[in-house]
Amino acid sequence: MGFLQPEEAFKPNISVVDDQTVGVEIELGDQIYLYADKVKIEDADPDDGIDFKAVTMAKPVDHEGESVFETSPAIRIVLVKSKDVSGEKNLNVKLSYQGCSAAGLCYEPQTVTLATPIDTDKLPLSDGSSILKAPAVTSGEIELAPPAKVGTVEEKSETDRIAQVIEGGSVWFIILSFFGFGLLLALTPCVFPMVPIISSVIVAQGEGLGTKRAFWLSVVYVLSMAVAYTIAGVLAGLFGANLQAAFQTPWIITLFALIFVVLAMSMFDLFELQIPNAIQSRITQISGKRSGIAGVAVMGFLSALIVGPCVAAPLAGALIYIGQTGDALLGGVALFALSIGMGIPLVAVGTSAGKFMPKPGPWMDSVKSIFGVMLIGVSIWMISRILDENISMMLWGALAVFVAVNIGALEPIRGRCIRCQRANKKSLGIILFLYGMSLLLGGMSGAKDPLHPLDPFLPVKGAVSVETAAQHKTFEKITSIEELEAILADNKGKRVLVDFYADWCTACKELEEKTFSDEAVKTKMDEFVLVKVDLTSNDDAAKAISSKYGIFGPPAILFFDENGTRIKSADVVGFKEPQEFLNHLGKI
């Protein structure tokens, strides 16, 4: 059978319904339907003095799991005047849509501009003195859209809405709001590595450490971290320069990882790490017993820049506000409150380290050894940003074997001992030893998943995984504006999902491993062209593409429609759980 030409399948028109309302219809050909999420209406001439007060549309129906219009969507636009205009003027409406034939052909997205004369003398001014109502219709035929801001129907992204909290709220409301955001961010992976750091720093103070001193040292650590976040954030907002990203170069990450290894060796009593006696005596004379404060402050400042450089929606919202208004003071207050909220749990952790610190003796050595292992773990976590995944897995395996041997996995138990402490430690040690060896062997064989380290030795399972992966789209990795623009130009008529990623971003990896690997999410993402912008190097190309799209740091996900136009209201900043991200995709 022959298919209808686009002009036969879709016949859009515009007409005046009453003095304040116009109607847009799309006459559909036989067996033609429209995708509901592809029908968009915009003011083609926003400076003509005629604005949209409200837009309504008929309810779609379900067609094989898709929301579609099988008859005209019956769009109604209620109009107002945004300025004092008079006489007859043409109203220009931009209409976008895409549809298919039930016989199996899908048409390219269409965009047309429709015009109709309007008597502006009959339109009220948009001063709030007149309340306009939607045209009368039979109940159930039309679903009212949310009231639109006069002059625009554009929705705002989550980060833009958070930026408005700063712009429209009082100082105390801003402080409380961003403090609350910070408490929520304290539960994210970006903050977790700071827990062993602050614990180890507090424990390293040695004898005489009490709850009060541990509390004040923890406060110093958090305040230093907050100052670093605030400075880095204000600079990013004002100049578009992500100071935290600048600290993610391989040599800085390697140096900081080595510092943690040195601190761990000190915890194992291989040597005593302390300030030279002459300097320590001078500091003691000046500040009493507060000689550890300077070191704690430096560690807090550096931890904020190097350990947790992830961007979340509240942080991005503050940076957008600073960038748009230049108000570094108010934006900085919001960032400082955010950082303090993130740090409150760290104060609790650090204070607990002082409260439950045992008296000098064997218990002290055991506790210090535990924190030493935690510091090595942080070091491996950091260096993993610049290493291949299989090498990182081997390092974790080596650490597991080290711990297993030290708790007696390979030592015999002499005499009868079934429920004694030695047997429990040995059992745990054997489990750790076996897992560590599996990580080592798997890493040597090229495995990358620590939960399935022996996959290379299971060819059947590996073959199934490859076959399953081949059923879904994969990301095309790019690094520059030119590459992204070429992809958008080559994929007209398709929606594009762009993921801004960096190897040093913890939340990016969690997004990969938890959300993007979810089967339902992968199936939904197959509807998009998938692009991954790699910001790992933080070079000029990475800075240019970040600046162009207002990205202050990863993770960030942008969406582009069939015409290559960014859907700014759909931006995602920070980590999203699989179901939350799936729901978000369904609205685009």
Side-chain angles (χ1 to χ4, degrees):
M1 62 171 292
F3 292 101
L4 297 176
Q5 294 298 312
E7 59 272 15
E8 298 172 322
F10 312 101
K11 297 178 181 179
N13 63 82
I14 187 170
S15 61
V16 175
V17 177
D18 58 37
D19 291 343
Q20 299 173 10
T21 309
V22 297
V24 175
E25 306 282 347
I26 306 176
E27 183 183 343
L28 302 180
D30 186 34
Q31 292 190 314
I32 300 294
Y33 58 87
L34 291 170
Y35 288 113
D37 61 346
K38 299 297 189 297
V39 178
K40 297 180 181 178
I41 197 84
E42 301 174 67
D43 188 347
D45 188 4
D47 297 324
D48 60 2
I50 306 173
D51 285 344
F52 295 0
K53 174 66 174 179
V55 179
T56 62
M57 191 179 301
K59 289 184 177 179
V61 298
D62 183 81
H63 176 78
E64 297 181 357
E66 298 279 357
S67 292
V68 303
F69 295 110
E70 294 180 339
T71 58
S72 175
I75 301 167
R76 297 292 181 266
I77 306 170
V78 181
L79 305 174
V80 292
K81 290 189 293 189
S82 60
K83 53 187 178 182
D84 191 12
V85 294
S86 61
E88 188 175 274
K89 286 185 173 292
N90 269 346
L91 172 69
N92 297 297
V93 176
K94 182 180 177 182
L95 173 67
S96 301
Y97 55 89
Q98 182 186 16
C100 294
S101 167
L105 173 69
C106 280
Y107 295 86
E108 290 290 322
Q110 308 287 322
T111 299
V112 297
T113 299
L114 306 172
T116 187
I118 295 293
D119 185 355
T120 59
D121 294 330
K122 296 181 179 179
L123 298 180
L125 281 171
S126 58
D127 58 359
S129 61
S130 177
I131 301 176
L132 302 179
K133 297 183 180 297
V137 294
T138 303
S139 177
E141 288 184 357
I142 284 185
E143 181 179 6
L144 291 181
K149 184 178 178 181
V150 173
T152 179
V153 292
E154 180 183 4
E155 295 182 15
K156 292 186 177 293
S157 65
E158 182 181 8
T159 52
D160 288 329
R161 291 195 297 269
I162 291 176
Q164 284 187 325
V165 171
I166 308 179
E167 186 175 2
S170 66
V171 173
W172 287 111
F173 178 74
I174 293 167
I175 291 174
L176 289 175
S177 297
F178 276 78
F179 179 79
F181 289 146
L183 287 174
L184 294 176
L185 290 179
L187 305 176
T188 64
C190 291
V191 180
F192 290 164
M194 294 184 185
V195 172
I197 295 174
I198 190 173
S199 301
S200 303
V201 168
I202 300 300
V203 170
Q205 299 300 310
E207 298 181 21
L209 178 67
T211 303
K212 183 177 179 181
R213 179 167 165 77
F215 169 77
W216 286 114
L217 288 174
S218 302
V219 169
V220 168
Y221 179 93
V222 169
L223 285 175
S224 301
M225 181 193 78
V227 168
Y229 266 120
T230 303
I231 293 174
V234 169
L235 289 176
L238 290 176
F239 306 111
N242 191 336
L243 182 61
Q244 291 175 307
F247 276 79
Q248 304 310 311
T249 55
W251 73 269
I252 291 181
I253 290 176
T254 302
L255 177 62
F256 213 66
L258 288 175
I259 290 175
F260 282 124
V261 172
V262 171
L263 291 173
M265 295 302 103
S266 175
M267 290 287 185
F268 295 142
D269 290 331
L270 296 181
F271 58 86
E272 187 173 355
L273 188 65
Q274 63 178 11
I275 301 173
N277 291 332
I279 299 176
Q280 190 171 3
S281 299
R282 179 62 179 163
I283 294 176
T284 302
Q285 290 175 5
I286 297 174
S287 56
K289 295 183 179 180
R290 295 180 293 173
S291 59
I293 288 180
V296 172
V298 170
M299 187 61 73
F301 192 91
L302 293 176
S303 294
L305 295 176
I306 301 175
V307 178
C310 295
V311 174
L315 177 58
L319 300 185
I320 288 174
Y321 172 80
I322 296 172
Q324 290 178 347
T325 66
D327 188 350
L329 179 59
L330 190 55
V333 167
L335 288 172
F336 189 79
L338 179 80
S339 306
I340 295 298
M342 292 170 59
I344 290 298
L346 296 178
V347 171
V349 169
T351 304
S352 300
K355 181 177 181 180
F356 298 108
M357 191 68 185
K359 300 298 181 183
W363 276 105
M364 172 73 81
D365 294 335
S366 298
V367 171
K368 288 174 66 178
S369 296
I370 290 172
F371 283 117
V373 170
M374 292 171 67
L375 283 175
I376 292 179
V378 172
S379 177
I380 295 174
W381 172 82
M382 287 192 63
I383 203 72
S384 294
R385 300 174 182 177
I386 58 175
L387 297 177
D388 290 337
E389 291 174 317
N390 62 311
I391 297 177
S392 300
M393 201 163 77
M394 291 169 62
L395 291 175
W396 286 113
L399 179 61
V401 170
F402 171 80
V403 173
V405 170
N406 274 275
I407 62 177
L410 304 182
E411 295 179 4
I413 297 180
R414 295 180 176 85
R416 185 176 180 182
C417 185
I418 298 177
R419 300 178 63 183
C420 63
Q421 185 179 9
R422 285 175 298 155
N424 295 335
K425 287 176 62 179
K426 184 176 177 65
S427 300
L428 177 61
I430 291 174
I431 293 172
L432 274 176
F433 183 81
L434 292 175
Y435 180 61
M437 289 302 299
S438 68
L439 290 177
L440 285 169
L441 291 173
M444 293 176 186
S445 303
K448 297 182 178 181
D449 187 352
L451 297 179
H452 303 93
L454 301 180
D455 272 358
F457 303 100
L458 304 172
V460 174
K461 183 178 181 180
V464 172
S465 298
V466 170
E467 181 181 352
T468 302
Q471 296 174 0
H472 295 287
K473 290 183 179 179
T474 57
F475 283 91
E476 179 178 351
K477 186 174 287 189
I478 63 171
T479 57
S480 68
I481 295 173
E482 294 76 16
E483 290 175 294
L484 178 55
E485 289 179 343
I487 290 173
L488 293 175
D490 292 340
N491 288 279
K492 290 291 186 181
K494 300 177 183 177
R495 292 176 296 167
V496 181
L497 182 157
V498 182
D499 173 36
F500 285 78
Y501 166 93
D503 289 343
W504 37 261
C505 169
T506 309
C508 298
K509 293 187 176 181
E510 189 181 23
L511 202 59
E512 288 270 359
E513 296 167 2
K514 190 172 183 180
T515 302
F516 290 165
S517 64
D518 182 85
E519 190 64 28
V521 172
K522 287 193 291 186
T523 300
K524 189 65 178 177
M525 287 200 305
D526 286 341
E527 300 176 8
F528 297 82
V529 175
L530 304 180
V531 181
K532 187 178 295 293
V533 180
D534 191 351
L535 303 178
T536 302
S537 63
N538 196 39
D539 57 12
D540 290 342
K543 293 176 182 176
I545 194 169
S546 296
S547 177
K548 177 177 175 64
Y549 292 104
I551 303 300
F552 294 99
I557 302 173
L558 309 185
F559 297 87
F560 295 81
D561 65 17
E562 294 83 355
N563 298 314
T565 303
R566 178 179 173 184
I567 311 172
K568 200 170 188 305
S569 62
D571 289 357
V572 172
V573 177
F575 172 75
K576 296 288 185 184
E577 292 285 349
Q579 188 58 51
E580 185 181 9
F581 187 65
L582 189 62
N583 294 339
H584 184 79
L585 290 177
K587 298 176 182 178
I588 300 172

